[in-house]
Amino acid sequence: RPLRPGQERISGPESHLDSEKPSEEYFERLHDLAQVLTAAISESLGLEPGHLNSLFGPKHTSLLRLNHYPACADSSRYGVNRHTDPGGVTILMQDFYGPASLQVRRGDQWYNIQPVPYAYVINLGDMMQVWSNDRYVVSEHRVVTSSEQERISIPFFYAPAFTSDVEPLVDGERVYRKVNYGEFIKKRFN
């Protein structure tokens, strides 16, 4: 497959991915987990279990990413600045052999999220906040690097189709107006 700008092909004796099959299988398993989590969120909002999942559509824009953060004292160079995730649900497998590098903001303070072996970190995205009409509020987070040790993370982003219109689904005064997910992404990343 052709590479996107900035991507590099994994190759050589250090490569653990000799084909796309393991990553495709992992993608499918995380997609299934995201649907289970989203069904539970639907029920917590008083909706049918499959309601939120139906809004992602068959052309959802979910993606699996493999991030490598080299050892570097300057987080602004190789870390990820503060942000929220734009989609519905993010499932993150942290590298649990390295130091804590994921930080979540609460008030004016940043807190380290210590890696737990074989556990996922679950973040809700901006669209989930809109669907829930602020019953669920996303967490601002960032990634900092370590000067002593490299780090790997594998986030899965469960995101709706670019054609999806997103609006509050719960009763009460609307905090948000309807937004098209594709337009939201264009404005956010341009």
Side-chain angles (χ1 to χ4, degrees):
R1 292 183 184 180
L3 297 175
R4 294 183 191 156
Q7 286 184 321
E8 295 180 35
R9 188 161 311 280
I10 299 173
S11 61
E14 298 82 28
S15 173
H16 297 286
L17 299 175
D18 295 330
S19 74
E20 293 179 357
K21 188 152 179 64
S23 59
E24 287 174 359
E25 289 174 6
Y26 191 59
F27 178 96
E28 289 304 322
R29 288 184 181 177
L30 290 179
H31 179 259
D32 292 346
L33 176 58
Q35 288 186 314
V36 169
L37 294 169
T38 303
I41 293 168
S42 284
E43 285 188 281
S44 76
L45 295 173
L47 306 169
E48 291 295 317
H51 188 79
L52 281 174
N53 282 314
S54 71
L55 301 177
F56 283 76
K59 295 190 178 198
H60 61 90
T61 57
S62 305
L63 63 104
L64 179 67
R65 199 145 107 201
L66 177 62
N67 296 322
H68 173 249
Y69 302 99
C72 178
D74 182 5
S75 284
S76 66
R77 185 164 178 200
Y78 289 110
V80 179
N81 288 328
R82 64 190 218 179
H83 66 283
T84 58
D85 296 335
V89 175
T90 301
I91 303 171
L92 171 68
M93 172 64 75
Q94 293 189 84
D95 178 354
F96 49 86
Y97 294 111
S101 59
L102 176 63
Q103 294 183 336
V104 173
R105 184 177 179 169
R106 187 172 188 141
D108 293 333
Q109 189 71 33
W110 288 97
Y111 295 92
N112 289 329
I113 304 300
Q114 296 297 329
V116 176
Y118 308 106
Y120 291 111
V121 174
I122 309 298
N123 281 332
L124 298 182
D126 297 326
M127 296 303 102
M128 195 62 74
Q129 185 167 330
V130 172
W131 281 320
S132 74
N133 206 33
D134 273 356
R135 288 195 190 169
Y136 290 110
V137 178
V138 300
S139 59
E140 186 177 33
H141 53 282
R142 66 184 180 187
V143 178
V144 294
T145 57
S146 165
S147 58
E148 292 94 37
Q149 191 169 359
E150 67 179 358
R151 178 179 173 269
I152 292 181
S153 70
I154 308 172
F156 172 80
F157 301 95
Y158 187 40
F162 288 135
T163 56
S164 296
D165 289 327
V166 178
E167 61 186 323
L169 300 173
V170 296
D171 293 334
E173 186 177 336
R174 287 183 170 217
V175 178
Y176 303 97
R177 63 174 195 246
K178 185 189 298 186
V179 61
N180 175 270
Y181 184 64
E183 292 300 315
F184 177 82
I185 292 297
K186 281 182 193 174
K187 287 178 184 174
R188 180 164 176 173
F189 292 106
N190 284 336

PDB file of all heavy atoms in Angstrom, residues 33 38 59 76 79 81-82 86 93-95 99 112 118 124 127 139 145 153 156 171 175 182 186 190:
ATOM      1  N   LEU A  33     -14.444  -4.214  20.789  1.00  0.00           N
ATOM      2  CA  LEU A  33     -14.440  -3.683  22.157  1.00  0.00           C
ATOM      3  C   LEU A  33     -15.062  -2.283  22.189  1.00  0.00           C
ATOM      4  O   LEU A  33     -15.851  -1.970  23.085  1.00  0.00           O
ATOM      5  CB  LEU A  33     -13.013  -3.649  22.719  1.00  0.00           C
ATOM      6  CG  LEU A  33     -12.842  -3.025  24.103  1.00  0.00           C
ATOM      7  CD1 LEU A  33     -13.702  -3.738  25.152  1.00  0.00           C
ATOM      8  CD2 LEU A  33     -11.371  -3.036  24.507  1.00  0.00           C
ATOM      9  N   THR A  38     -19.387   1.400  23.639  1.00  0.00           N
ATOM     10  CA  THR A  38     -20.355   2.370  23.143  1.00  0.00           C
ATOM     11  C   THR A  38     -21.788   1.919  23.418  1.00  0.00           C
ATOM     12  O   THR A  38     -22.651   2.745  23.721  1.00  0.00           O
ATOM     13  CB  THR A  38     -20.111   2.639  21.641  1.00  0.00           C
ATOM     14  OG1 THR A  38     -18.757   3.080  21.489  1.00  0.00           O
ATOM     15  CG2 THR A  38     -21.031   3.700  21.098  1.00  0.00           C
ATOM     16  N   LYS A  59     -19.243   3.211   7.133  1.00  0.00           N
ATOM     17  CA  LYS A  59     -18.027   3.873   6.642  1.00  0.00           C
ATOM     18  C   LYS A  59     -17.389   4.700   7.745  1.00  0.00           C
ATOM     19  O   LYS A  59     -16.913   5.817   7.511  1.00  0.00           O
ATOM     20  CB  LYS A  59     -18.360   4.738   5.430  1.00  0.00           C
ATOM     21  CG  LYS A  59     -18.828   3.912   4.256  1.00  0.00           C
ATOM     22  CD  LYS A  59     -18.923   4.726   3.014  1.00  0.00           C
ATOM     23  CE  LYS A  59     -19.346   3.797   1.884  1.00  0.00           C
ATOM     24  NZ  LYS A  59     -19.086   4.346   0.594  1.00  0.00           N
ATOM     25  N   SER A  76       8.278  18.831  23.500  1.00  0.00           N
ATOM     26  CA  SER A  76       7.657  19.588  22.422  1.00  0.00           C
ATOM     27  C   SER A  76       8.133  19.090  21.059  1.00  0.00           C
ATOM     28  O   SER A  76       7.489  19.316  20.039  1.00  0.00           O
ATOM     29  CB  SER A  76       7.963  21.074  22.573  1.00  0.00           C
ATOM     30  OG  SER A  76       9.344  21.318  22.393  1.00  0.00           O
ATOM     31  N   GLY A  79       6.851  14.677  21.716  1.00  0.00           N
ATOM     32  CA  GLY A  79       5.633  14.352  22.443  1.00  0.00           C
ATOM     33  C   GLY A  79       4.413  14.787  21.646  1.00  0.00           C
ATOM     34  O   GLY A  79       4.495  15.074  20.450  1.00  0.00           O
ATOM     35  N   ASN A  81       1.257  17.572  22.077  1.00  0.00           N
ATOM     36  CA  ASN A  81       0.725  18.670  22.879  1.00  0.00           C
ATOM     37  C   ASN A  81      -0.680  18.362  23.383  1.00  0.00           C
ATOM     38  O   ASN A  81      -1.341  17.455  22.897  1.00  0.00           O
ATOM     39  CB  ASN A  81       0.708  19.963  22.062  1.00  0.00           C
ATOM     40  CG  ASN A  81       2.091  20.520  21.836  1.00  0.00           C
ATOM     41  OD1 ASN A  81       2.974  20.376  22.679  1.00  0.00           O
ATOM     42  ND2 ASN A  81       2.296  21.151  20.695  1.00  0.00           N
ATOM     43  N   ARG A  82      -1.136  19.161  24.317  1.00  0.00           N
ATOM     44  CA  ARG A  82      -2.451  18.954  24.921  1.00  0.00           C
ATOM     45  C   ARG A  82      -3.544  18.984  23.850  1.00  0.00           C
ATOM     46  O   ARG A  82      -3.501  19.798  22.916  1.00  0.00           O
ATOM     47  CB  ARG A  82      -2.709  19.979  25.999  1.00  0.00           C
ATOM     48  CG  ARG A  82      -2.784  21.373  25.519  1.00  0.00           C
ATOM     49  CD  ARG A  82      -2.806  22.341  26.663  1.00  0.00           C
ATOM     50  NE  ARG A  82      -3.726  23.431  26.338  1.00  0.00           N
ATOM     51  CZ  ARG A  82      -3.994  24.416  27.122  1.00  0.00           C
ATOM     52  NH1 ARG A  82      -3.445  24.482  28.318  1.00  0.00           N
ATOM     53  NH2 ARG A  82      -4.813  25.360  26.768  1.00  0.00           N
ATOM     54  N   PRO A  86     -11.016  13.663  18.811  1.00  0.00           N
ATOM     55  CA  PRO A  86     -12.221  14.163  18.157  1.00  0.00           C
ATOM     56  C   PRO A  86     -13.370  13.168  18.009  1.00  0.00           C
ATOM     57  O   PRO A  86     -14.520  13.571  17.933  1.00  0.00           O
ATOM     58  CB  PRO A  86     -11.722  14.595  16.774  1.00  0.00           C
ATOM     59  CG  PRO A  86     -10.514  13.765  16.537  1.00  0.00           C
ATOM     60  CD  PRO A  86      -9.905  13.530  17.879  1.00  0.00           C
ATOM     61  N   MET A  93      -3.456   1.160  24.363  1.00  0.00           N
ATOM     62  CA  MET A  93      -2.553   0.219  25.026  1.00  0.00           C
ATOM     63  C   MET A  93      -1.236   0.953  25.196  1.00  0.00           C
ATOM     64  O   MET A  93      -0.584   1.316  24.221  1.00  0.00           O
ATOM     65  CB  MET A  93      -2.348  -1.038  24.178  1.00  0.00           C
ATOM     66  CG  MET A  93      -1.279  -1.977  24.715  1.00  0.00           C
ATOM     67  SD  MET A  93      -1.629  -2.706  26.325  1.00  0.00           S
ATOM     68  CE  MET A  93      -2.847  -3.910  25.884  1.00  0.00           C
ATOM     69  N   GLN A  94      -0.872   1.207  26.455  1.00  0.00           N
ATOM     70  CA  GLN A  94       0.392   1.889  26.735  1.00  0.00           C
ATOM     71  C   GLN A  94       1.525   0.880  26.801  1.00  0.00           C
ATOM     72  O   GLN A  94       1.325  -0.277  27.134  1.00  0.00           O
ATOM     73  CB  GLN A  94       0.329   2.607  28.085  1.00  0.00           C
ATOM     74  CG  GLN A  94      -0.635   3.754  28.132  1.00  0.00           C
ATOM     75  CD  GLN A  94      -0.450   4.523  29.417  1.00  0.00           C
ATOM     76  OE1 GLN A  94       0.409   5.369  29.513  1.00  0.00           O
ATOM     77  NE2 GLN A  94      -1.265   4.208  30.413  1.00  0.00           N
ATOM     78  N   ASP A  95       2.718   1.357  26.533  1.00  0.00           N
ATOM     79  CA  ASP A  95       3.925   0.562  26.733  1.00  0.00           C
ATOM     80  C   ASP A  95       4.179   0.525  28.232  1.00  0.00           C
ATOM     81  O   ASP A  95       4.549   1.525  28.829  1.00  0.00           O
ATOM     82  CB  ASP A  95       5.088   1.231  26.006  1.00  0.00           C
ATOM     83  CG  ASP A  95       6.406   0.512  26.200  1.00  0.00           C
ATOM     84  OD1 ASP A  95       6.467  -0.444  26.986  1.00  0.00           O
ATOM     85  OD2 ASP A  95       7.382   0.919  25.548  1.00  0.00           O
ATOM     86  N   PRO A  99       8.345   4.605  31.400  1.00  0.00           N
ATOM     87  CA  PRO A  99       7.811   5.522  32.415  1.00  0.00           C
ATOM     88  C   PRO A  99       6.447   6.060  31.973  1.00  0.00           C
ATOM     89  O   PRO A  99       6.087   5.994  30.799  1.00  0.00           O
ATOM     90  CB  PRO A  99       8.854   6.636  32.444  1.00  0.00           C
ATOM     91  CG  PRO A  99       9.453   6.618  31.074  1.00  0.00           C
ATOM     92  CD  PRO A  99       9.444   5.180  30.637  1.00  0.00           C
ATOM     93  N   ASN A 112      -0.006  12.178  35.852  1.00  0.00           N
ATOM     94  CA  ASN A 112       0.516  11.033  35.111  1.00  0.00           C
ATOM     95  C   ASN A 112      -0.467   9.872  35.187  1.00  0.00           C
ATOM     96  O   ASN A 112      -1.027   9.601  36.247  1.00  0.00           O
ATOM     97  CB  ASN A 112       1.851  10.567  35.694  1.00  0.00           C
ATOM     98  CG  ASN A 112       2.969  11.531  35.415  1.00  0.00           C
ATOM     99  OD1 ASN A 112       2.976  12.218  34.396  1.00  0.00           O
ATOM    100  ND2 ASN A 112       3.936  11.599  36.318  1.00  0.00           N
ATOM    101  N   TYR A 118      -1.198  -4.946  30.601  1.00  0.00           N
ATOM    102  CA  TYR A 118      -2.329  -5.613  29.943  1.00  0.00           C
ATOM    103  C   TYR A 118      -3.668  -4.921  30.174  1.00  0.00           C
ATOM    104  O   TYR A 118      -4.717  -5.544  30.065  1.00  0.00           O
ATOM    105  CB  TYR A 118      -2.398  -7.081  30.343  1.00  0.00           C
ATOM    106  CG  TYR A 118      -1.086  -7.780  30.140  1.00  0.00           C
ATOM    107  CD1 TYR A 118      -0.277  -8.107  31.221  1.00  0.00           C
ATOM    108  CD2 TYR A 118      -0.609  -8.048  28.864  1.00  0.00           C
ATOM    109  CE1 TYR A 118       0.954  -8.719  31.035  1.00  0.00           C
ATOM    110  CE2 TYR A 118       0.617  -8.649  28.671  1.00  0.00           C
ATOM    111  CZ  TYR A 118       1.396  -8.983  29.758  1.00  0.00           C
ATOM    112  OH  TYR A 118       2.615  -9.571  29.561  1.00  0.00           O
ATOM    113  N   LEU A 124     -12.898   9.190  26.158  1.00  0.00           N
ATOM    114  CA  LEU A 124     -14.046   9.546  25.334  1.00  0.00           C
ATOM    115  C   LEU A 124     -13.661  10.734  24.474  1.00  0.00           C
ATOM    116  O   LEU A 124     -12.860  11.572  24.868  1.00  0.00           O
ATOM    117  CB  LEU A 124     -15.247   9.893  26.215  1.00  0.00           C
ATOM    118  CG  LEU A 124     -15.741   8.755  27.100  1.00  0.00           C
ATOM    119  CD1 LEU A 124     -16.965   9.184  27.884  1.00  0.00           C
ATOM    120  CD2 LEU A 124     -16.031   7.497  26.290  1.00  0.00           C
ATOM    121  N   MET A 127     -17.072  13.865  20.069  1.00  0.00           N
ATOM    122  CA  MET A 127     -18.408  13.524  19.574  1.00  0.00           C
ATOM    123  C   MET A 127     -19.242  12.857  20.670  1.00  0.00           C
ATOM    124  O   MET A 127     -20.460  13.061  20.737  1.00  0.00           O
ATOM    125  CB  MET A 127     -18.333  12.638  18.331  1.00  0.00           C
ATOM    126  CG  MET A 127     -17.683  13.313  17.129  1.00  0.00           C
ATOM    127  SD  MET A 127     -18.471  14.870  16.614  1.00  0.00           S
ATOM    128  CE  MET A 127     -17.352  16.097  17.285  1.00  0.00           C
ATOM    129  N   SER A 139     -11.585  14.335  28.371  1.00  0.00           N
ATOM    130  CA  SER A 139     -10.418  14.745  29.156  1.00  0.00           C
ATOM    131  C   SER A 139      -9.335  15.271  28.220  1.00  0.00           C
ATOM    132  O   SER A 139      -8.983  14.632  27.230  1.00  0.00           O
ATOM    133  CB  SER A 139      -9.878  13.571  29.982  1.00  0.00           C
ATOM    134  OG  SER A 139      -9.524  12.501  29.141  1.00  0.00           O
ATOM    135  N   THR A 145       7.624  12.986  26.695  1.00  0.00           N
ATOM    136  CA  THR A 145       8.677  12.001  26.449  1.00  0.00           C
ATOM    137  C   THR A 145       9.600  11.891  27.648  1.00  0.00           C
ATOM    138  O   THR A 145       9.620  12.757  28.517  1.00  0.00           O
ATOM    139  CB  THR A 145       9.496  12.381  25.199  1.00  0.00           C
ATOM    140  OG1 THR A 145      10.034  13.693  25.382  1.00  0.00           O
ATOM    141  CG2 THR A 145       8.637  12.342  23.948  1.00  0.00           C
ATOM    142  N   SER A 153       3.142   3.404  21.981  1.00  0.00           N
ATOM    143  CA  SER A 153       1.725   3.313  22.334  1.00  0.00           C
ATOM    144  C   SER A 153       0.948   2.910  21.086  1.00  0.00           C
ATOM    145  O   SER A 153       1.376   3.180  19.962  1.00  0.00           O
ATOM    146  CB  SER A 153       1.197   4.634  22.900  1.00  0.00           C
ATOM    147  OG  SER A 153       1.121   5.606  21.884  1.00  0.00           O
ATOM    148  N   PHE A 156      -6.336   3.145  19.438  1.00  0.00           N
ATOM    149  CA  PHE A 156      -7.398   2.875  18.470  1.00  0.00           C
ATOM    150  C   PHE A 156      -8.434   3.970  18.642  1.00  0.00           C
ATOM    151  O   PHE A 156      -8.920   4.210  19.750  1.00  0.00           O
ATOM    152  CB  PHE A 156      -8.039   1.509  18.731  1.00  0.00           C
ATOM    153  CG  PHE A 156      -9.254   1.248  17.884  1.00  0.00           C
ATOM    154  CD1 PHE A 156      -9.124   0.828  16.574  1.00  0.00           C
ATOM    155  CD2 PHE A 156     -10.530   1.426  18.398  1.00  0.00           C
ATOM    156  CE1 PHE A 156     -10.244   0.593  15.782  1.00  0.00           C
ATOM    157  CE2 PHE A 156     -11.660   1.199  17.626  1.00  0.00           C
ATOM    158  CZ  PHE A 156     -11.513   0.776  16.314  1.00  0.00           C
ATOM    159  N   ASP A 171     -32.419  14.093  26.584  1.00  0.00           N
ATOM    160  CA  ASP A 171     -33.372  15.165  26.877  1.00  0.00           C
ATOM    161  C   ASP A 171     -32.699  16.292  27.653  1.00  0.00           C
ATOM    162  O   ASP A 171     -31.695  16.097  28.318  1.00  0.00           O
ATOM    163  CB  ASP A 171     -34.542  14.612  27.695  1.00  0.00           C
ATOM    164  CG  ASP A 171     -35.393  13.642  26.889  1.00  0.00           C
ATOM    165  OD1 ASP A 171     -35.406  13.763  25.646  1.00  0.00           O
ATOM    166  OD2 ASP A 171     -36.041  12.779  27.503  1.00  0.00           O
ATOM    167  N   VAL A 175     -26.814  21.722  24.736  1.00  0.00           N
ATOM    168  CA  VAL A 175     -25.577  22.485  24.916  1.00  0.00           C
ATOM    169  C   VAL A 175     -24.900  22.690  23.562  1.00  0.00           C
ATOM    170  O   VAL A 175     -24.171  23.654  23.365  1.00  0.00           O
ATOM    171  CB  VAL A 175     -24.640  21.746  25.903  1.00  0.00           C
ATOM    172  CG1 VAL A 175     -23.332  22.483  26.082  1.00  0.00           C
ATOM    173  CG2 VAL A 175     -25.329  21.534  27.235  1.00  0.00           C
ATOM    174  N   GLY A 182     -17.276  15.327   9.470  1.00  0.00           N
ATOM    175  CA  GLY A 182     -16.253  15.654   8.471  1.00  0.00           C
ATOM    176  C   GLY A 182     -15.876  17.122   8.508  1.00  0.00           C
ATOM    177  O   GLY A 182     -14.690  17.479   8.432  1.00  0.00           O
ATOM    178  N   LYS A 186     -12.239  18.820   9.474  1.00  0.00           N
ATOM    179  CA  LYS A 186     -11.579  19.793   8.582  1.00  0.00           C
ATOM    180  C   LYS A 186     -11.199  21.059   9.324  1.00  0.00           C
ATOM    181  O   LYS A 186     -10.086  21.562   9.202  1.00  0.00           O
ATOM    182  CB  LYS A 186     -12.490  20.157   7.399  1.00  0.00           C
ATOM    183  CG  LYS A 186     -12.523  19.152   6.300  1.00  0.00           C
ATOM    184  CD  LYS A 186     -13.418  19.675   5.182  1.00  0.00           C
ATOM    185  CE  LYS A 186     -13.746  18.593   4.198  1.00  0.00           C
ATOM    186  NZ  LYS A 186     -14.707  19.041   3.189  1.00  0.00           N
ATOM    187  N   ASN A 190      -7.160  21.899  10.124  1.00  0.00           N
ATOM    188  CA  ASN A 190      -6.655  22.823   9.089  1.00  0.00           C
ATOM    189  C   ASN A 190      -6.298  24.156   9.692  1.00  0.00           C
ATOM    190  O   ASN A 190      -6.611  24.560  10.700  1.00  0.00           O
ATOM    191  CB  ASN A 190      -7.681  23.009   7.972  1.00  0.00           C
ATOM    192  CG  ASN A 190      -7.718  21.807   7.061  1.00  0.00           C
ATOM    193  OD1 ASN A 190      -6.759  21.063   6.962  1.00  0.00           O
ATOM    194  ND2 ASN A 190      -8.846  21.622   6.397  1.00  0.00           N
TER     195      ASN A 190
END
